Amino acid sequence: MNRRYRKTIIAGNWKMNKTASETRAFADEFKALLPKSKWCDIVVCVPSADISAAVRAFKDSRVAVGAQNVYFEKSGAYTGEVSADMLADLGVKYVIVGHSERRALFGETDSIVNKKVHAVLNADLNPIICVGESLEQREMGVTMELIALQLKSALSGVSAEQVRRCVIAYEPIWAIGTGKNATGEQAAEVCTFIRATIRSLYGARIARSVTVQYGGSMKGENAAELLSHEDIDGGLIGGASLKADTLMAIIHAANQN
Ligand code: 13P
């Protein structure tokens, strides 16, 4: 991480876990553990059904609430979908876009991801844009090409001013929920490449201000090493974000750098 030029952001992604009551219980426990000093920005991305409860529960703290998905249209006959304006009005600050689970299970293409990024930015929210390769793609040696394609597609039409509000999360699919994290070197290699790609699109000054996270089995035990790399500015955390103490362990690790 490099605190001088960009924010360190530790974000939890609860995926489809916790009810509203469980959200309130988590918030009470988590807030009691929050350190006085501000080491990093903290975001908890909760299921849509828990957003109101989370915003209320974290209101008096510095924990921002994020959503895990959005639909790109502003309004209309899209049964079951939620717009970026609806999320903004509830008090959401971040929205995860293009998570590999949405790409694999719900048919989210690069083009849909791009539309969602624009919808999120137009609602004055911050997208957390996920990119990452499968094990097969890594073994075929196409990781960098794939990351460049996903990133350039996601950012197509995004202005230099807007890209400052984007967070990029590198999440190798083979490390998600597997307990097998990328090594610091593997993660840093791709995160550095992500920044270089942003540099090629927007120039050096903008590229150094963008937060690039790593996600994939990040936990208290490996976070300090991962975050010690210059281009890894935080984490997007699944399993370890479900318990207040395990998420807090990562926040403490962020303070060691
Ligand atoms: P895990 O931390 O459970 O591997 O999940 C990572 C992830 O997908 C965060 O978005």
Side-chain angles (χ1 to χ4, degrees):
M1 62 178 76
N2 185 329
R3 294 175 194 278
R4 190 158 155 230
Y5 294 119
R6 48 195 179 257
K7 280 184 188 170
T8 301
I9 305 176
I10 301 296
N13 172 12
W14 283 358
K15 309 192 178 182
M16 197 176 74
N17 290 291
K18 294 194 194 293
T19 61
S21 324
E22 288 165 347
T23 300
R24 285 187 282 273
F26 175 96
D28 286 345
E29 200 184 334
F30 191 70
K31 285 190 294 185
L33 298 175
L34 272 174
K36 293 273 176 298
S37 47
K38 190 179 168 195
W39 299 328
C40 58
D41 285 38
I42 305 169
V43 184
V44 180
C45 298
V46 303
S48 300
D50 298 338
I51 288 173
S52 291
V55 169
R56 219 168 305 130
F58 285 118
K59 198 170 65 154
D60 53 354
S61 77
R62 58 189 186 80
V63 178
V65 174
Q68 299 172 14
N69 188 29
V70 66
Y71 193 56
F72 52 79
E73 295 289 355
K74 273 193 97 60
S75 63
Y78 305 104
T79 303
E81 294 297 325
V82 173
S83 76
D85 288 343
M86 292 172 188
L87 296 175
D89 193 62
L90 283 178
V92 160
K93 299 289 177 223
Y94 291 83
V95 185
I96 298 174
V97 178
H99 192 281
S100 58
E101 286 151 19
R102 295 217 56 87
R103 292 179 193 257
L105 303 173
F106 302 99
E108 205 154 293
T109 61
D110 285 332
S111 152
I112 294 174
V113 170
N114 177 247
K115 287 181 183 166
K116 291 187 174 189
V117 168
H118 282 284
V120 171
L121 289 168
N122 289 337
D124 280 333
L125 301 175
N126 306 291
I128 301 178
I129 304 168
C130 301
V131 296
E133 82 288 4
S134 65
L135 186 59
E136 194 186 9
Q137 288 161 332
R138 174 160 281 264
E139 286 170 350
M140 286 191 302
V142 298
T143 297
M144 298 311 185
E145 284 92 336
L146 182 92
I147 299 290
L149 178 72
Q150 289 179 334
L151 190 60
K152 287 181 181 175
S153 315
L155 294 178
S156 174
V158 171
S159 71
E161 248 343 284
Q162 288 175 318
V163 82
R164 290 173 179 277
R165 287 198 280 122
C166 296
V167 175
I168 313 298
Y170 167 53
E171 297 210 317
I173 296 168
W174 47 272
I176 295 178
T178 57
K180 186 176 159 194
N181 64 287
T183 64
E185 285 70 33
Q186 284 172 321
E189 186 188 18
V190 180
C191 290
T192 299
F193 176 76
I194 287 171
R195 197 175 309 287
T197 306
I198 298 173
R199 192 180 306 123
S200 73
L201 296 171
Y202 298 97
R205 218 159 48 91
I206 301 267
R208 79 177 181 203
S209 72
V210 174
T211 296
V212 181
Q213 298 174 316
Y214 167 76
S217 301
M218 190 186 261
K219 42 189 178 288
E221 298 84 63
N222 59 26
E225 204 281 312
L226 286 158
L227 296 170
S228 70
H229 295 267
E230 163 91 11
D231 284 313
I232 305 179
D233 307 309
L236 185 56
I237 298 118
S241 73
L242 290 172
K243 284 175 60 195
D245 58 342
T246 51
L247 181 57
M248 195 54 73
I250 297 173
I251 290 161
H252 279 272
N255 189 41
Q256 290 173 28
N257 289 284

